[in-house]
Amino acid sequence: MPELEGRTALVTGGSRGIGAAICMTLASAGADVAVNYPGPDVPADEVVSEIEKLGRRAIAVCGDVSSAGDVERMTAEAVDALGGLDILVNNAGITRDGLLVRMSEQDWDSVLAVDLKSVFLCTQAAAKIMMKARSGSIVNIASVIGQIGNAGQVNYAAAKAGVIAVTKSCAKELASRGVRVNAVAPGFIETPMTAALSDKVREAAQEQIPLRRFGEAQDVANAVAWLCGDQASYITGHVINVDGGMVM
Ligand code: NAP
């Protein structure tokens, strides 16, 4: 039997990049998946139809993960459509890079809202359901930048360090209710987010990576799916780096 047969999952920012790979990998492992996207178009349709081709149930749930009202509504939609919530993957994220002295307050606020506040809101909504069920697995997508910092990313580094702290605090708080909370910290991964990097930045980044290449979205998705399943049932509050050895 596939590892996640009969489980239901909500993946934030599941319409493309790492989130889409996570949706497909969870579905391949047997899960039914609610694919969140921020709207107003429905870019999650393609992922939904690919999941259905695997014989799993899927729905697209529209919502801005930094809005408490949207998070409450989309979580309820996912539970109503799929009949429960066993897995939450907090994947949605944005970057608004700039040097500290030039960074606008708005760029600080929007990254902290989409990358960190969202984890609080979505985890809070999911935890209420998982605590009642006395089981569940939450995986937060952090970043190695939250561990080592990065020039030009003070907002993103702060948000991702916060994601790691939220992961550990929630793991301690929810463990007695059978809910595990872990994080995956990717290094440089080939996605639309990193496609914007110049050749010079890309080459400099590769020099810092012992495996000398960027990872694929699938590398991150594999770690997430493993953490969601029973093979990781004694693991909580942990951060797995998927970074080609960049941070060790
Ligand atoms: P991506 O290709 O830019 O995808 C981000 C996803 O988040 C998109 O589906 C996007 O939807 C969605 N999203 C953005 N704002 C949202 C909001 N307010 N509410 C709901 N969804 C929202 O990024 P990615 O590279 O796959 O990154 C996924 C996660 O991995 C992020 O948390 C990122 O910080 C982390 N990460 C990535 C890398 C990397 O190298 N790529 C490295 C470390 C960590 P739309 O497309 O419709 O806007």
Side-chain angles (χ1 to χ4, degrees), residues 84-141:
L85 188 61
D86 305 301
I87 294 165
L88 167 69
V89 183
N90 284 307
N91 165 78
I94 58 168
T95 50
R96 296 287 181 272
D97 297 351
L99 293 173
L100 168 71
V101 291
R102 286 194 219 129
M103 185 173 288
S104 67
E105 186 180 357
Q106 193 191 348
D107 283 350
W108 171 271
D109 286 345
S110 57
V111 169
L112 268 288
V114 176
D115 293 16
L116 179 59
K117 182 183 168 191
S118 66
V119 178
F120 158 67
L121 292 174
C122 295
T123 302
Q124 189 180 52
K128 289 176 187 165
I129 296 152
M130 293 175 178
M131 284 164 77
K132 268 190 209 147
R134 299 218 153 246
S135 85
S137 176
I138 298 170
V139 180
N140 299 322
I141 306 303

Side-chain angles (χ1 to χ4, degrees), residues 16 25 32 49 56 96 105 107 121 131 135 151 156 164 189 195 202 237:
R16 66 184 166 110
T25 306
D32 296 324
S49 95
R56 305 296 166 194
R96 296 287 181 272
E105 186 180 357
D107 283 350
L121 292 174
M131 284 164 77
S135 85
Y156 186 74
I164 292 171
I189 306 295
R202 179 174 278 268

